[in-house]
Amino acid sequence: MPSPDRPRPDARVRDDDGRGARARTWLLLLAAVVSEVTASLSLKAALDAPAFYAVVAVGYVGAFALLAVVLARGMALGVAYGAWGALGVASTALLSAAVFDEPLTPVMGAGLALIVAGVLTIELGSQAARRRTETAR
């Protein structure tokens, strides 16, 4: 029988600050972005090949389901939705230029850089707020 002073050998080891859990939540958010971008690109493809509408439906349902899981895991709505939307817009613009030969001008590139900077700013602000809340407890 294990000693009460020591954890059982089969006990799960977890970071005290939850970094592993936060990383998994961000990976789920990234999966939601990939699902949404796949659906958006498939919507354009479905104009020529209607079978892609099935990918559109599955992709959007999957994106919202994954976003709901991310929110249930505790990510702030502003951070989750902001990152999901912004990364989705940026990824769709870049991939539609590559896949569908749509234009991507320097001005559009600057706009995409601003989107990424905005998402990073929101996440940094969220981390600072979380630290203040944890310190106040």
Side-chain angles (χ1 to χ4, degrees):
M1 182 162 159
S3 164
D5 300 343
R6 295 188 330 176
R8 295 182 324 221
D10 62 337
R12 296 187 95 175
V13 177
R14 186 178 167 280
D15 293 358
D16 287 339
D17 63 355
R19 284 187 183 161
R22 280 198 295 275
R24 285 187 296 279
T25 301
W26 275 99
L27 286 174
L28 286 167
L29 183 60
L30 184 59
V33 171
V34 168
S35 184
E36 189 264 336
V37 170
T38 300
S40 296
L41 293 172
S42 296
L43 187 58
K44 172 92 175 189
L47 297 174
D48 294 325
F52 276 99
Y53 284 119
V55 178
V56 172
V58 170
Y60 283 130
V61 169
F64 282 104
L66 286 163
L67 184 59
V69 171
V70 167
L71 294 174
R73 291 176 63 97
M75 185 178 283
L77 176 60
V79 173
Y81 185 71
W84 178 68
L87 294 173
V89 167
S91 299
T92 300
L94 291 171
L95 289 170
S96 66
V99 174
F100 299 114
D101 201 31
E102 293 184 350
L104 186 61
T105 66
V107 172
M108 294 168 72
L112 293 174
L114 287 171
I115 288 171
V116 171
V119 168
L120 290 174
T121 303
I122 290 170
E123 172 55 17
L124 292 173
S126 174
Q127 287 178 9
R130 186 179 326 116
R131 281 192 299 275
R132 279 195 306 272
T133 302
E134 290 171 356
T135 303
R137 290 182 187 170

